[in-house]
Amino acid sequence: RLRKWQERIRTKDAGERNLQFALSEIDRMASALGVPRSVREVASVVYRRALNEDLIRGRSIEGVSTSCLYVACRQESIPRSLEEVADVSRVEKKEIGRTYRYIAQELSLEMKPVDPKEYVPRFCSALDSSEEVQAKAREIIDTTAEEGLLSGKSPTGFAAAAIYAASLLCNEKKTQREVADVAQVTEVTIRNRYQEQIETMGIH
Amino acid sequence: MTDPKDTINIENVVASTGIGQELDLQSVAMDLEGADYDPEQFPGLVYRTQNPKSAALIFRSGKIVCTGAKSTDDVHESLRIVFDKLRELQIQVNEDPEIVVQNIVTSADLGRNLNLNAIAIGLGLENIEYEPEQFPGLVYRLDEPEVVALLFGSGKLVITGGKKPEDAEHAVDKIVSRLEDLGLLE
DNA sequence: GCTTTAAAAAGTAATTT
DNA sequence: AAATTACTTTATAAAGC
């Protein structure tokens, strides 16, 4: 009987320590990503829900923590790409993506696809682009997305191409490499998306 | 307009069977030309057939998995070749061991572009998985038939998980009517 | 869970030429 | 900068870790 007690205390302690570890990891990664406190709080809530639903079993605490942070960024409309999140996590991108899909499914999070426009402010400030470029990029994204160009395309690459195009149109040229670096996509992707976008925008 | 059902093409058929007899894969690997066997990596021996093209995974238990065939007929033909090869090695194989089709992968074309964002919302986020950052296809799980469809922006699609060719046809019909109901086709 | 096998879809990325 | 190779997703069986 005493053993059972000790075991319960032991597992309870272990659970507490695991939760503390998860929350401190979320905090660490959130700081590294530079997201506001509200995102960390949302991530913590999602993690506790996952814990209550017993979704951690068979998965690493680090993987679930990272996925919850990824979810929180999207829910707060300041998304971070899996690439960016993986950069501050010790879990690889592929596993973060899988864990994220599992958690989103099990918690019925009904995540809407990321709107490329949500990347515009952050990418543009990293590029020191004007408000005019941002507005133009948003316009390009909305117009080309309505024309069906967004289907199947990565939101980061789509946003990067629109920002590149807007920079040219506003006489604030940025090189494809500069934009590619802040968006963490290749120049080839920017080139491909850019071509499609200016075609349907009728810009010459 | 072309009926999307007429664009259906079987791309891969997976089937399982068995010869009801234990095998010494080490010696089979020695005697069977072109056999790949690395028990450290995977317990099955890999044997590829050329006509029709397929890959057979042969296990110590005598159970066999055949993948890569383009039709159910090809699966039977490929396995007939495998059975004959084993008989050449003095291994007893019945006349026609039972062959069970486990999965059929099919491709098809709806003939027009799809707005995957609208479809994700329209069909209901709870049934759909669409993460273009991770994969360009929208994942749609059907209950009847029980298959999984991958929808692409081009209107092309992949259907997998079915056990009979008709499953893909029924799935295409359902997908087309659901998209039409939502006004997301055309 | 993972390991291996096959095949399609389309996007993205890393190498090679 | 264009071409090639490779990896992402889906399902499925097999035996074993």
Side-chain angles (χ1 to χ4, degrees), chain A residues 132-161:
Chain A
E132 187 193 354
V133 169
Q134 293 197 38
K136 195 70 191 170
R138 285 181 224 272
E139 183 194 329
I140 294 171
I141 290 169
D142 277 336
T143 306
T144 57
E146 274 175 34
E147 290 298 312
L149 281 199
L150 182 55
S151 281
K153 268 76 165 217
S154 148
T156 40
F158 206 83

Side-chain angles (χ1 to χ4, degrees), chain A residues 6-182:
Chain A
Q6 288 178 328
E7 222 168 276
R8 275 179 200 169
I9 290 170
R10 214 176 287 152
T11 50
K12 197 178 177 185
D13 283 353
E16 278 302 315
R17 266 184 276 113
N18 285 342
L19 178 59
Q20 282 306 318
F21 176 69
L23 298 183
S24 71
E25 274 301 278
I26 287 173
D27 233 47
R28 179 188 64 76
M29 295 187 283
S31 295
L33 288 173
V35 296
R37 180 160 278 102
S38 61
V39 172
R40 310 178 193 202
E41 282 159 10
V42 170
S44 302
V45 170
V46 175
Y47 186 91
R48 285 172 200 274
R49 279 192 62 197
L51 190 61
N52 286 338
E53 300 287 330
D54 202 21
L55 303 183
I56 322 279
R57 201 169 286 179
R59 259 157 261 276
S60 72
I61 294 170
E62 181 78 24
V64 176
S65 304
T66 311
S67 301
C68 291
L69 184 55
Y70 175 75
V71 164
C73 290
R74 283 177 58 163
Q75 289 188 338
E76 293 298 289
S77 296
I78 44 176
R80 256 57 189 174
S81 68
L82 282 178
E83 198 73 50
E84 294 174 293
V85 170
D87 282 344
V88 301
S89 174
R90 70 169 161 82
V91 180
E92 60 179 64
K93 191 169 101 178
K94 188 173 163 183
E95 198 197 320
I96 299 170
R98 283 189 186 181
T99 306
Y100 153 73
R101 294 198 308 265
Y102 174 72
I103 288 178
Q105 182 65 243
E106 294 302 314
L107 296 183
S108 302
L109 296 181
E110 302 196 5
M111 302 290 292
K112 288 198 290 295
V114 174
D115 183 343
K117 288 200 301 296
E118 295 175 339
Y119 282 115
V120 170
R122 190 158 56 87
F123 290 171
C124 279
S125 76
L127 289 165
D128 281 312
S129 294
S130 67
E131 202 56 50
E132 187 193 354
V133 169
Q134 293 197 38
K136 195 70 191 170
R138 285 181 224 272
E139 183 194 329
I140 294 171
I141 290 169
D142 277 336
T143 306
T144 57
E146 274 175 34
E147 290 298 312
L149 281 199
L150 182 55
S151 281
K153 268 76 165 217
S154 148
T156 40
F158 206 83
I163 291 169
Y164 173 72
S167 301
L168 291 181
L169 293 172
C170 298
N171 291 314
E172 282 182 42
K173 191 189 188 227
K174 294 285 186 292
T175 65
Q176 293 180 355
R177 178 108 299 289
E178 289 175 301
V179 184
D181 283 342
V182 308

